[in-house]
Amino acid sequence: MELSLFSGELTAPQKEAVELHFEIKKNGELAAAALVEFCKGLKKMRDSKLFAELGYETFESYAETEFNLKQRQAYNYIQALESLGEPLLQSNAKLGITKLKILSELPRIEVAEFVEKNDVDDMSARELKEAVKKLTEQEEQITFLSSENERLSEAEKMFEDAKAELANLKNSLNEKDTELFSVQRELKEAQSRPVEVSVREPSADEIKKLTDKAVKAAKEEAAKDALAQVAAEAEKSAKKLAELEEKYKAMISAAQQEKQEAADRLAAVEKSSKFAANPDVLKFSFYFEEAQKNIGKMKDILATVDGETAEKLKKAMAAVAAQLTTD
């Protein structure tokens, strides 16, 4: 709306109204800009310690003496500037420093979206603080659950690696069993052969045969030793395999339980997020909690008064409760 477009058509009162509107708008913009400059000035005075040049020992004493600002109030202005930045601070200056300080507790990237989705103008400072607190807690829970999911993914990868290692051990054990079976068969065959006894002078051929038998006997003895060693290794491998199976069964059970708990918590957070997205529901929740507290106090009073008085008070409470169901 430009005044020049309507200057020939407006009545005197309309022209006065339009001029006043633009004057208010201009002063509002000046007030917003003045708030930003005021915050910038306080920050520079604190950071550069120029207050000492004016005879003040501390920034706090300077702010309180010159502007009647308590320490917390002065730092609220500075924090709003540092956290929100100049554009956000100026565009939301109408909210006042108390609400701006509460909004500064959110990440800067989320402030504009929060103001757009919530009726911040109509919220009290307490309601705004509760809304920001709930949003912050939900984001922290979502971040926690994301890290939990990453940790569970790592645990699942470890479990898959363990399964591969377990399969390798099983293959190794099967190979040992095959080797053991082969040695046992050779030993059994050797033991079943008859041993010849000679009391006469052996011939060269017999000596050769006896030598061959001695060599075979030595091989059989070596086979027995090898069999014992293979059996010991097989027993050791079987024991290790059993331990690994127990260990990784426990690990996957714990991982599955943690994953389910994380999913349950995530569902709760999503439900809470939907609840908090509606400012009317948020307001109702706040007043409902306050009502519950007051009901508890009223019950304590009922327990201390005489019977007749208690009955009258109960009827009064019932009448108030009935109003909630009345259209």
Side-chain angles (χ1 to χ4, degrees), residues 225-241:
D225 294 340
L227 177 62
Q229 183 177 357
V230 170
E233 290 180 358
E235 183 180 357
K236 183 178 180 181
S237 297
K239 184 177 180 181
K240 183 177 180 181
L241 179 62

Side-chain angles (χ1 to χ4, degrees), residues 198-221:
S198 177
V199 294
R200 61 182 175 80
E201 188 70 22
S203 65
D205 289 339
E206 289 174 337
I207 291 174
K208 185 178 183 302
K209 289 180 180 180
L210 289 172
T211 302
D212 291 343
K213 287 181 180 180
V215 171
K216 183 176 285 189
K219 288 182 178 180
E220 290 174 356
E221 189 65 27

Side-chain angles (χ1 to χ4, degrees), residues 108-157:
R108 185 180 300 185
I109 193 172
E110 297 180 5
V111 173
E113 182 180 358
F114 181 86
V115 172
E116 182 180 352
K117 290 183 177 180
N118 295 273
D119 192 1
V120 179
D121 287 339
D122 290 341
M123 284 185 177
S124 66
R126 184 173 183 179
E127 291 171 338
L128 178 61
K129 189 171 184 178
E130 287 294 323
V132 169
K133 181 181 178 182
K134 286 188 176 181
L135 178 61
T136 303
E137 289 175 349
Q138 289 162 6
E139 290 177 346
E140 289 174 352
Q141 290 177 351
I142 291 173
T143 301
F144 171 75
L145 291 176
S146 298
S147 63
E148 284 286 290
N149 284 332
E150 291 178 2
R151 191 168 70 85
L152 288 175
S153 297
E154 292 177 0
E156 289 177 351
K157 184 178 181 302

